[in-house]
Amino acid sequence: MRSNKQTGQPGDNAIQTGNGSGLFEPAPTTTPAVVVTGGSKGIGRAIAKEFLVKGHSVVLVARNADRLEQVAAELRDFLPARRQLEVFAVDVTRDDSYALLGQHLAERGLHTDVLVNNAGLGLGGPFFEQSSDDLDRLIALNVGALTRWTRLAMSEMIGRGRGHIINMASLGGYAPGPNQAAYYASKAYVISLSEALSAEAVGTGVRVSVTAPGPVETGFHATMEADQSFYRYLVPSLSPERVAKSVYGGYRFGSRVIIPGLINRLLSIFMRILPHPILVPLVGWLLAQRGRS
Ligand SMILES: NC(=O)c1ccc[n+]([C@@H]2O[C@H](COP(=O)([O-])OP(=O)(O)OC[C@H]3O[C@@H](n4cnc5c(N)ncnc54)[C@H](OP(=O)(O)O)[C@@H]3O)[C@@H](O)[C@H]2O)c1
């Protein structure tokens, strides 16, 4: 796999990595980088670009290497001086994926200072019609990989006394979601886990945030055959760039929960106070697939 390393110069915040070096042998330094899973498309690509524009070294992670290279080539115009833009093609659901990332970064003089666990997939339609394989894939990515990457990154960051993990949930994580039941449940898990870890991380120098966007204009909804669903017409969508700006603002501010857009913030309150006998059928009506092929 190719990479897009621009320079080998460490950034301003480079840190020492202890590898047993003696007095006369300076320890190698690594440069902090922002690692974005699902960085080749949609929201992940926009978040990667936002961090790049704001002066960070960035590593894009996704499975499709060609697509990663293409996106890196597009983003290279925004690469600041003395920063690196790298790609790493891996399926994050692989047990050894985080270790492979660590190796890839170390070879390029980088370490994970900010991890954006963005890669995720949705499944639309009645739960009983979904295949067990599709459900397993959703849980493996939205829950399994995110949990493993969060734990490994968090322990590494706590050892270093600094770092930030931003987990991608969804506004859907605030309600049960008939017709996207497993997807909504997976995002409820992400919100719960991340808020709990945010509290556990207090005093360690590490931050854990969760972001919960409402609908965003990406190919995500079409993949779920949800483009005709009522929520696509009734709940305003944001652009990936708008979401990325909110995520970056939340990162700078150290926000525990980042909900992009005023309407989505109001909806999140509404979803938490509306009694479930009213909320759940309403959400199910909004999510029902219409005009399925
Ligand atoms: N779009 C929305 O309305 C919306 C709203 C709220 C939250 N979200 C959440 O935001 C995140 C991104 O959504 P999106 O709309 O930008 O999705 P998207 O356009 O479908 O992009 C998904 C990204 O994840 C990567 N990916 C998928 N499976 C992977 C795996 N196993 N290992 C590594 N990378 C993988 C994909 O690249 P490869 O296929 O090459 O791996 C791609 O880069 C998801 O977690 C989603 O649940 C989306």
Side-chain angles (χ1 to χ4, degrees):
M1 209 219 22
R2 290 159 295 158
S3 78
N4 299 302
K5 186 172 181 175
Q6 193 205 33
T7 74
Q9 293 176 352
D12 298 335
N13 301 321
I15 64 158
Q16 302 283 312
T17 52
N19 67 347
S21 57
L23 269 180
F24 304 106
E25 187 191 354
T29 57
T30 54
T31 300
V34 180
V35 174
V36 184
T37 71
S40 67
K41 263 197 227 166
I43 300 172
R45 183 191 185 283
I47 291 174
K49 181 178 167 187
E50 186 67 23
F51 273 94
L52 203 60
V53 167
K54 294 288 174 5
H56 299 259
S57 291
V58 169
V59 182
L60 310 172
V61 177
R63 289 166 303 179
N64 186 318
D66 290 341
R67 170 98 195 133
L68 279 170
E69 291 293 351
Q70 187 191 325
V71 171
E74 291 160 13
L75 294 184
R76 202 166 292 119
D77 286 348
F78 303 96
L79 182 60
R82 300 194 306 122
R83 293 293 180 266
Q84 289 169 237
L85 173 60
E86 304 282 347
V87 299
F88 184 52
V90 74
D91 183 337
V92 297
T93 64
R94 276 179 62 159
D95 287 355
D96 58 353
S97 56
Y98 190 80
L100 293 171
L101 169 81
Q103 226 174 308
H104 184 84
L105 295 188
E107 285 164 12
R108 285 152 185 81
L110 296 170
H111 67 267
T112 306
D113 186 49
V114 180
L115 170 63
V116 186
N117 272 316
N118 163 76
L121 67 88
L123 266 181
F127 182 75
F128 67 89
E129 288 183 8
Q130 285 156 7
S131 76
S132 294
D133 283 351
D134 283 346
L135 287 165
D136 287 349
R137 264 193 290 276
L138 182 144
I139 301 298
L141 181 59
N142 296 10
V143 176
L146 179 137
T147 305
R148 187 179 303 113
W149 278 51
T150 297
R151 193 192 78 74
L152 293 169
M154 198 171 166
S155 63
E156 220 177 85
M157 289 172 181
I158 286 175
R160 228 180 259 127
R162 60 166 287 159
H164 199 140
I165 297 171
I166 302 170
N167 286 334
M168 179 60 69
S170 161
L171 204 55
Y174 288 112
N179 300 308
Q180 291 184 18
Y183 176 66
Y184 270 47
S186 73
K187 294 303 184 181
Y189 172 87
V190 175
I191 293 173
S192 174
L193 179 80
S194 308
E195 287 206 59
L197 298 186
S198 167
E200 285 188 18
V202 169
T204 65
V206 176
R207 285 207 160 108
V208 180
S209 303
V210 61
T211 179
V216 185
E217 286 306 335
T218 71
F220 194 75
H221 309 276
T223 311
M224 287 196 286
E225 292 189 72
D227 255 344
Q228 307 292 317
S229 300
F230 286 123
Y231 79 91
R232 297 291 290 133
Y233 301 99
L234 297 175
V235 184
S237 293
L238 296 180
S239 68
E241 291 71 27
R242 171 69 182 79
V243 172
K245 284 196 187 315
S246 283
V247 169
Y248 192 79
Y251 157 75
R252 292 288 295 172
F253 203 65
S255 307
R256 188 172 41 88
V257 180
I258 305 160
I259 301 180
L262 178 64
I263 292 180
N264 290 326
R265 283 198 288 282
L266 294 174
L267 281 174
S268 77
I269 295 167
F270 182 70
M271 289 164 87
R272 276 173 282 181
I273 58 175
L274 202 66
H276 276 202
I278 299 168
L279 177 68
V280 180
L282 176 62
V283 174
W285 176 78
L286 285 167
L287 297 182
Q289 288 176 325
R290 296 161 64 244
R292 279 170 81 180
S293 50

